[in-house]
Amino acid sequence: RSIMMNEATASDGVLKAVFTIENYSQKTINVSSLLEWSARNSDGENLEINLFDCNGPSLDGAILPNDKLKGEVCYTISGSPPFRIYYNHDFISSHILVWQVQ
């Protein structure tokens, strides 16, 4: 799989990021914004997921082989930037992807 951040904004108390996930494998993969995504502020404090201020599609669902999914994850901002968004699709693995938003 590949994951690309399309855009990110931090305004009006909400950190919003749009991602595209492409599945290059031969198996269907499942994505959950609640289980696999998280965010923290510059002090390392977890940001609370914000399901109500995301206006677009979520990053939840099955992605078939050679298909993709585009959607948003949103968090309520607390503390100061930079904010980091983390994606961990395998809790056993130490392979965690991180994006920084100013």
Side-chain angles (χ1 to χ4, degrees):
R1 71 185 75 182
S2 76
I3 303 171
M4 180 178 70
M5 178 187 278
N6 303 102
E7 63 180 286
T9 58
S11 64
D12 298 326
V14 177
L15 171 62
K16 184 183 298 187
V18 178
F19 290 91
T20 300
I21 303 173
E22 292 192 55
N23 180 4
Y24 294 111
S25 75
Q26 297 305 310
K27 296 181 180 179
T28 298
I29 59 174
N30 291 299
V31 179
S32 170
S33 60
L34 293 174
L35 298 176
E36 299 172 335
W37 294 86
S38 63
R40 296 181 189 154
N41 63 21
S42 62
D43 292 326
E45 299 168 333
N46 285 324
L47 300 182
E48 189 174 319
I49 193 150
N50 185 327
L51 300 174
F52 302 106
D53 287 318
C54 276
N55 298 326
S58 70
L59 271 176
D60 295 287
I63 307 172
L64 299 173
N66 300 307
D67 202 1
K68 58 185 163 184
L69 174 68
K70 182 177 180 181
E72 296 178 338
V73 290
C74 298
Y75 299 91
T76 301
I77 293 175
S78 64
S80 57
F83 303 106
R84 291 190 175 154
I85 299 173
Y86 301 85
Y87 175 70
N88 182 7
H89 74 278
D90 182 359
F91 297 107
I92 299 170
S93 169
S94 62
H95 184 74
I96 300 172
L97 301 176
V98 182
W99 293 267
Q100 185 163 299
V101 180
Q102 297 295 332

